[in-house]
Amino acid sequence: MFSWMIKGKELAAFESMLAVQKEILQSLDLHCRILEMPSTDLGASASRKVDVEAFFPSRRAKDDGYGEVTSASICTDYQTRRLNTRLKLTSPGQTKTDFPYTVNGTALAVPRVLAALLENGWDEEKRAVKIPEVLHDWMHGIRTIKKKPDR
């Protein structure tokens, strides 16, 4: 996800992207935590960044079982200055151009989310993976993923 806006609107865009990310992951029945990244972990472009991590049973011994599946960043005008992208601002009797602010967010990192779904949906007794209810409409009646019987 990517958003351009005038200075002062970046926090609302950031929170909106984070809400979309949380809604997607929660609808997939994934247990997640949100980490506010310290300034020492930010790249040159970001003034604020959060990582959203999902629980992976296989990672219990490492990082308390969590791994990053998405993130969101406020990049102020860093990216637009590098691209020389400007926004024309008009008000009664005045026109000026300025560099817009940008906010970036990964809706979801598909390979990581698939891994989390496979691990969290695994039923050892049935030797199958339960498909989250929100995906049922797209699975043509399939509710679990399991090995086909040997012929």
Side-chain angles (χ1 to χ4, degrees), residues 2-8 10 44-48 73-81 99-104:
F2 191 81
S3 184
W4 304 49
M5 76 286 310
I6 60 172
K7 182 179 180 178
E10 66 276 7
S45 65
S47 66
R48 181 178 178 195
S73 303
I74 297 175
C75 295
T76 65
D77 60 358
Y78 181 89
Q79 294 170 320
T80 58
R81 284 184 182 278
F99 294 102
Y101 274 31
T102 59
V103 176
N104 307 322

Side-chain angles (χ1 to χ4, degrees), residues 36-52:
E36 186 81 35
M37 303 311 292
S39 60
T40 54
D41 286 353
L42 299 179
S45 65
S47 66
R48 181 178 178 195
K49 179 180 181 235
V50 296
D51 285 348
V52 181

Side-chain angles (χ1 to χ4, degrees), residues 97-126:
T97 59
D98 202 0
F99 294 102
Y101 274 31
T102 59
V103 176
N104 307 322
T106 310
L108 57 104
V110 174
R112 295 177 195 171
V113 171
L114 284 174
L117 289 172
L118 292 170
E119 287 192 29
N120 285 286
W122 179 248
D123 182 327
E124 185 66 33
E125 189 176 298
K126 295 179 182 177

